[in-house]
Amino acid sequence: MAAPISAVPVAPLSFEDTRIAFEAKSDTDLRKMYALFAAMNNGSLVKTGGGLMKAALKFSLPGTKFLIKNSIFKQFCGGESIKECKPVIAELGRYHIGTILDYSVEGTGNDQSFDRTRDEILATIELASTTPNIPFSVFKVTGLMPTALLEKMQAGTALTEVEQAAFARGQQRLDALCTHAHQRSVRLFVDAEESWFQQTIDDLAEAMMQRYNQERAIVWNTYQLYRHDRLEALEAAHDRAEQAGYYLGVKLVRGAYMEKEARTAKQRGYQNPINPSKQHTDDLYNESLRYCVQHIDRVSLCAGTHNEASSLLLTQLMQEAGLAPGDERVWFAQLYGMSDNLSYNLAHAGYHTAKYVPYGPVEAVMPYLLRRADENTAISGQSSREFLLIQRELRRRQGR
């Protein structure tokens, strides 16, 4: 008698296992992390400290860069360059965790900076093509072309000849990345951005998918599920992929611009696109996971989340669908320096898991990290969670 489809061998999985979560960390490492997350758990200290760090970097106060690079930067970033990230890539790889190099330097909005970003992403693709521990490269479309043009396109505003030429150059940069990724068989994430030009990004990403995803998902688009319309957008994208005969690469995240979205909607006088509650977002995220697994023959999925319930749900959905933990179409991803209880335990159980590893000069990357902290309302709760897990592991090691 044939075994039921759900009978896939699965290793025991617990996100409470701090021994596995922190097996790569020495006692000294853990104590440093404990101190850092204890500080981050203090909301007023984070706000004050963030302002002080920005000011200190701006005025190049002696010792500032050294202190930052050896504390918060070291915790959450791989280094200032691709070369500096290589020890982090190797360390994660030892525990079967992939690295997604995230060039976190924002351009200055001119062709020179856009070309520099394109060349940097090309370098990450090239490294990924020769490094098994780098399963994806990633970029933002606003790193390749002016935001104003993306916004105009979405609004249906006619571009001037100069703007049309600038937009065409941006498309050429985008195609250069996707072409190189396709030639090197490297998966490429297109990150999500603000809603008032996200549709333009979606259209560009889908055009690249139709061109380069004929055999497998090379180009992957990102859906921010704190927006109430994203599951509908995902379903429509799947239908178009089905009709046109290409594979859909999907990264699901909850979202990174919540306060900015609400503020802009109020200023411009349109309905806030963000879900009315965290529960609505959680439900929509989980429903999107179900949809992707149900359509796994056409969809490849990366669950970019620090949420334990959603991560566990995806493992259960995979088992129910008869998908082995190591199925190449399903990935989990978390930020470097956070949620090691997810990353290390998932990888230990055989699931494809990767860390987003931001990198770039300290002065350029710190504003990015601080803004993420400001815009992500879950950051304080996440800090509390990290703090408690580290505390538990320290006690375990002390034999308590």
Side-chain angles (χ1 to χ4, degrees):
M1 183 176 176
I5 193 170
S6 61
V8 175
V10 177
L13 177 65
S14 170
F15 297 139
E16 302 298 316
D17 192 333
T18 59
R19 180 188 62 81
I20 292 175
F22 299 113
E23 61 182 327
K25 302 292 188 295
S26 67
D27 289 354
T28 300
D29 291 335
L30 277 181
R31 292 190 191 99
K32 288 179 180 178
M33 290 169 64
Y34 181 86
L36 179 62
F37 280 108
M40 287 181 64
N41 208 28
N42 185 324
S44 59
L45 182 61
V46 169
K47 285 188 176 182
T48 303
L52 289 173
M53 279 190 285
K54 286 180 181 179
L57 285 170
K58 181 179 179 180
F59 295 108
S60 301
L61 296 184
T64 300
K65 180 176 176 178
F66 177 84
L67 289 172
I68 293 174
K69 190 170 182 179
N70 287 280
S71 57
I72 189 169
F73 184 90
K74 185 176 181 180
Q75 177 67 26
F76 298 111
C77 298
E80 294 195 81
S81 65
I82 292 175
K83 183 178 180 180
E84 281 192 14
C85 290
K86 288 186 176 180
V88 170
I89 296 168
E91 176 68 14
L92 290 171
R94 275 194 283 274
Y95 297 92
H96 308 291
I97 296 171
T99 292
I100 305 168
L101 288 172
D102 185 10
Y103 182 57
S104 300
V105 176
E106 297 180 354
T108 54
N110 56 44
D111 279 329
Q112 185 178 12
S113 73
F114 293 143
D115 288 345
R116 189 163 53 244
T117 297
R118 175 203 58 203
D119 293 345
E120 189 70 27
I121 306 307
L122 286 172
T124 69
I125 293 171
E126 191 61 32
L127 181 62
S129 71
T130 59
T131 310
N133 297 334
I134 306 179
F136 297 89
S137 287
V138 63
F139 70 98
K140 281 184 166 62
V141 172
T142 51
L144 305 177
M145 65 181 76
T147 303
L149 297 187
L150 298 169
E151 190 171 350
K152 274 192 167 186
M153 290 289 291
Q154 182 158 318
T157 304
L159 303 184
T160 66
E161 284 190 21
V162 171
E163 289 173 333
Q164 288 174 5
F167 189 73
R169 290 193 297 274
Q171 287 178 299
Q172 289 169 358
R173 297 182 189 102
L174 171 62
D175 189 62
L177 297 183
C178 296
T179 297
H180 199 58
H182 182 258
Q183 290 173 343
R184 296 294 191 270
S185 295
V186 173
R187 305 173 190 88
L188 184 61
F189 284 146
V190 181
D191 264 350
E193 303 192 54
E194 290 87 343
S195 64
W196 50 94
F197 54 88
Q198 181 61 47
Q199 186 58 53
T200 310
I201 294 173
D202 290 346
D203 293 342
L204 290 168
E206 285 192 31
M208 294 296 101
M209 285 191 208
Q210 188 160 4
R211 189 174 301 172
Y212 297 110
N213 288 13
Q214 294 294 324
E215 297 89 21
R216 58 189 284 249
I218 291 292
V219 180
W220 299 46
N221 199 15
T222 304
Y223 294 82
Q224 298 189 106
L225 273 305
Y226 67 178
R227 284 183 55 182
H228 57 71
D229 63 347
R230 289 299 85 187
L231 177 53
E232 294 174 6
L234 171 59
E235 292 170 345
H238 169 265
D239 290 344
R240 289 189 291 273
E242 187 81 33
Q243 291 166 10
Y246 60 88
Y247 291 93
L248 190 68
V250 173
K251 182 178 66 165
L252 300 179
V253 300
R254 277 169 168 77
Y257 307 101
M258 187 158 64
E259 280 75 22
K260 189 175 184 180
E261 289 281 0
R263 186 170 61 249
T264 303
K266 185 176 181 180
Q267 290 170 350
R268 299 188 182 185
Y270 60 80
Q271 182 184 1
N272 187 351
I274 304 303
N275 285 314
S277 70
K278 183 180 182 301
Q279 188 60 54
H280 281 84
T281 295
D282 290 343
D283 292 343
L284 199 60
Y285 191 95
N286 292 341
E287 190 59 34
S288 299
L289 291 177
R290 292 187 182 93
Y291 183 84
C292 289
V293 173
Q294 287 166 3
H295 297 87
I296 199 67
D297 288 343
R298 180 65 57 183
V299 176
S300 289
L301 164 67
C302 177
T305 181
H306 293 180
N307 186 285
E308 294 180 16
S310 292
S311 299
L312 187 60
L313 172 64
L314 180 51
T315 66
Q316 293 166 347
L317 292 171
M318 290 177 68
Q319 187 174 11
E320 291 167 5
L323 304 179
D327 193 297
E328 282 289 340
R329 296 167 295 182
V330 184
W331 286 77
F332 297 78
Q334 295 82 37
L335 290 173
Y336 180 65
M338 299 177 70
S339 296
D340 285 347
N341 65 312
L342 294 184
S343 307
Y344 282 80
N345 279 294
L346 283 165
H348 185 79
Y351 294 92
H352 285 305
T353 310
K355 287 283 200 184
Y356 254 69
V357 179
Y359 76 96
V362 171
E363 299 84 352
V365 173
M366 279 309 302
Y368 160 84
L369 291 175
L370 291 172
R371 188 173 64 255
R372 278 200 84 118
D374 289 338
E375 292 175 338
N376 187 344
T377 56
I379 195 74
S380 60
Q382 184 65 37
S383 299
S384 297
R385 176 67 169 150
E386 301 288 343
F387 177 71
L388 291 173
L389 287 167
I390 295 165
Q391 188 178 60
R392 185 187 306 167
E393 175 59 11
L394 284 170
R395 287 176 176 168
R396 187 195 70 79
R397 292 185 182 187
Q398 293 167 359
R400 296 181 185 175

